[in-house]
Every structure is written in C-alpha cells, then in structure tokens.
Amino acid sequence: MKLVLASQNKKKLVEMNDILSGLGIEVCSQAEAGVNLEPEETGTTFEENSLIKARAVMEASGLPAIADDSGLCVDALKGAPGVYSARYGGDGLDDVARYRLLLENMQGQMPRTAKFVSVITCCFPNGDVITARGECPGTIAFAAMGEGGFGYDPVFFVPSLKKTFAQLTPEEKNAISHRGKALKIFQEKLEVYLRSK
C-alpha cells in the first residue's frame, strides 16, 4: 500500500518509512505523487491541523494521504509553542533560532517539564479517516546537546535515558518518541482497517 506524506519534511518521511515499512507500507513524498501543496494550518489543535493536511493532499493526489502534526508543549510556557512549534518566533527562523528562542524564554522558568505530541491522520479517497495520538514526556535542557534529529530535538531531554532526542540513535528515538508511539497506534488501527476491507 502506498501513502502520500502531507509534508515537505524529508526527515519525517524517513522516520515514517522506518516505522511503517514492516507493514508493507511505502510512504512517498508529495513530489513523487505529483503534488506540491502547503495547506494552511488553521486548526487550534494537533488533530485539526493533521486532518487539514491529510485531506488536502489526499484530494490533490487521489491517493491515501498521511499527515503528522506535532509540536512541543512546555508546561512553564502554558503549553507553548504547541501547535505553533514550527512557526515559533515567526517566519524566517530556522530550527536552531527557534530552539534558542525557546531556551531564552525558559530562563529562570521552573518546572522545565514538557512533552512532545504527535497526531497522525490518514485520509482515504473513500472518506475513511484514521487518527492516532502519541506523547513523549521530558524536560527542557539548559543548553542544546547532540547532532541528530531535527526541530527541538537538541533541547528536549529524556531523564530516563539522560540524553536529548538529538543524542539518540534513530532506533532509540523511534522506540520512545511521540511520533513512534503515534505511528505504532496508527499501525494497529490500520491493520484492523485493512482486515475489514
């Protein structure tokens, strides 16, 4: 089965294929499906934005489309940056500038608890929708550590592993991450869905 990823993020595409390939599912890029879309994320929840992206790409490609809307929710910042994680600090900032801004805003803030949230939505041309949510608790580090991952990974610290997401191998990260958990639940729901067809 082929799903189109409703994202231009190449690292997200690799992560999804790593996790879903065992199901015999291939996740292809929008470019491979002949689609070039950046749907406007007007939702106020991860669920709403994930659905907006998956539905738009499914309609444009005519193929089942999978979207992930994810972000970092920091307790001391009242859940910010949340659904605005990718746009935190405004347009024009890259990943490094965004996590530096986060560290600045966290100066003197306690507690430093946070969680990554991922909501996966798959829209099928027949109108069926599958949604799954995963969360990974952690804390905000005092400085960036590690070279791996993307986004806020260098400042998201996992106390049980004593490492940031950026210090984990892809396998270690997929085993505990919000996206890994959401994809596992999605995988289970998809297996049930495919059996019912």
Side-chain angles (χ1 to χ4, degrees):
M1 179 187 222
K2 189 180 248 189
L3 303 177
V4 185
L5 177 61
S7 170
Q8 309 286 356
N9 187 323
K10 290 184 175 73
K11 291 184 178 178
K12 218 176 249 194
L13 183 65
V14 170
E15 232 171 63
M16 289 220 173
N17 272 310
D18 283 351
I19 295 169
L20 293 175
S21 60
L23 261 189
I25 289 169
E26 181 200 342
V27 184
C28 73
S29 67
Q30 286 189 43
E32 289 172 276
V35 175
N36 184 17
L37 269 187
E38 283 271 349
E40 202 180 334
E41 297 176 33
T42 53
T44 56
T45 65
F46 296 113
E47 282 79 4
E48 287 172 5
N49 284 333
S50 183
L51 180 61
I52 288 167
K53 292 187 279 191
R55 185 172 283 149
V57 171
M58 179 271 294
E59 286 170 354
S61 67
L63 294 166
I66 185 170
D68 156 72
D69 197 59
S70 51
L72 179 65
C73 303
V74 181
D75 293 334
L77 302 178
K78 297 182 175 62
V83 293
Y84 307 106
S85 293
R87 305 184 290 280
Y88 191 52
D91 290 337
L93 292 189
D94 63 3
D95 285 354
V96 175
R98 268 190 287 276
Y99 74 63
R100 282 186 177 152
L101 174 65
L102 178 75
L103 289 178
E104 237 172 77
N105 291 338
M106 283 299 290
Q107 280 183 352
Q109 298 276 13
M110 291 307 263
R112 295 185 77 86
T113 49
K115 65 182 176 186
F116 262 129
V117 177
S118 167
V119 174
I120 307 281
T121 302
C122 187
C123 287
F124 296 88
N126 67 359
D128 291 341
V129 175
I130 297 175
T131 304
R133 180 184 176 106
E135 297 185 0
C136 180
T139 62
I140 301 303
F142 288 92
M145 295 179 283
E147 302 297 320
F150 56 94
Y152 297 93
D153 288 0
V155 298
F156 186 75
F157 187 76
V158 183
S160 60
L161 299 177
K162 297 184 172 50
K163 288 179 180 177
T164 66
F165 262 15
Q167 292 173 305
L168 301 176
T169 66
E171 295 74 26
E172 286 174 323
K173 182 183 169 186
N174 288 345
I176 63 155
S177 77
H178 52 307
R179 192 169 298 111
K181 288 175 183 172
L183 281 168
K184 193 172 178 347
I185 295 165
F186 170 73
Q187 190 178 330
E188 288 161 5
K189 288 186 173 183
L190 184 62
E191 283 171 345
V192 171
Y193 173 79
L194 294 174
R195 279 201 300 272
S196 73
K197 291 293 156 205

